[in-house]
Amino acid sequence: MNTLMTLPSHWQGMSAAFIEGALFAANANPKPMEPEVWLPVLMNGGGDSAVVMVDDADKMPILNHFEMQYRRVKAGEYQLPERLIWLQDGSHQSALREFAQGFLAVWEFIEPNWQQQTVSDGTMRMLSALLTTLMLLIDEAATLAQMEQAGVTGMPAASELYTQLPLMLTEVMMAADQLQIGSGAQAINPFKEIGRNDPCLCESGKKFKKCCGKTL
């Protein structure tokens, strides 16, 4: 089971669940993007809030988690952290709402890149289902009312969509990755400021080149 990142005691930004969702959105980008575009969202939650940059000391652990999330999805090893697994009794509802809010806050920057792509009908349906599920997690009653008003019918029950969230996330991220590969895009390296002989940010005690940087 994967875990949410541990935030430092001085952290003044969003929750770990919010950050997990935000990083997933950033990883579901079909085009390369500098992290500095979306990193402020982790501090202010997005929207019309004033831009507050992440301190350099906090930025690299976040980017390390960002890269590890991507690598685990690519290797088929990613599972949602325990706090983000939907349960019938609603005990994880608050964390799931924060995850969804984080994803959609960063999605504002990612969505235009998807609009520029030619994708299969299957990928578009999966993406649509994911975004709908995330909106349901934030406010199920209001989202269902909006869908009814728009004449949307035949949707699975919200609980069914919630259980499929891990699959949707993985499929959308993998589709974005394939679009980058297909277009020959070079991914932005989040570790560009780390020296190969520097201590690894995962706190393993090893040098970066012998740990997280080994396969770069």
Side-chain angles (χ1 to χ4, degrees), residues 73-181:
V73 171
K74 283 280 287 183
E77 299 173 350
Y78 184 85
Q79 294 178 311
L80 280 174
E82 185 176 359
R83 283 180 55 202
L84 299 179
I85 296 175
W86 185 80
L87 298 176
Q88 191 72 37
D89 64 8
S91 57
H92 293 170
Q93 185 174 352
S94 177
L96 275 166
R97 184 183 299 114
E98 291 171 3
F99 176 90
Q101 290 169 337
F103 188 104
L104 293 176
V106 169
W107 186 251
E108 176 182 342
F109 303 99
I110 309 303
E111 186 174 21
N113 291 338
W114 277 92
Q115 293 172 346
Q116 298 169 13
Q117 306 297 317
T118 301
V119 300
S120 68
D121 290 342
T123 295
M124 285 306 301
R125 285 194 295 269
M126 184 66 72
L127 180 56
S128 177
L130 171 60
L131 296 175
T132 298
T133 301
L134 294 170
M135 290 187 289
L136 286 166
L137 284 168
I138 292 174
D139 192 333
E140 184 174 308
T143 301
L144 289 174
Q146 290 172 4
M147 292 170 66
E148 182 178 356
Q149 187 175 15
V152 177
T153 60
M155 288 287 294
S159 59
E160 287 186 45
L161 293 173
Y162 298 157
T163 59
Q164 294 298 312
L165 180 61
L167 172 64
M168 296 177 196
L169 289 164
T170 298
E171 290 295 322
V172 169
M173 187 190 291
M174 292 297 287
D177 187 61
Q178 287 301 311
L179 287 167
Q180 284 214 34
I181 294 172

Side-chain angles (χ1 to χ4, degrees), residues 54-68:
V54 177
D55 289 343
D56 288 342
D58 296 327
K59 181 168 67 173
M60 296 318 299
I62 289 171
L63 293 181
N64 182 56
H65 193 80
F66 171 63
E67 180 70 11
M68 292 305 101

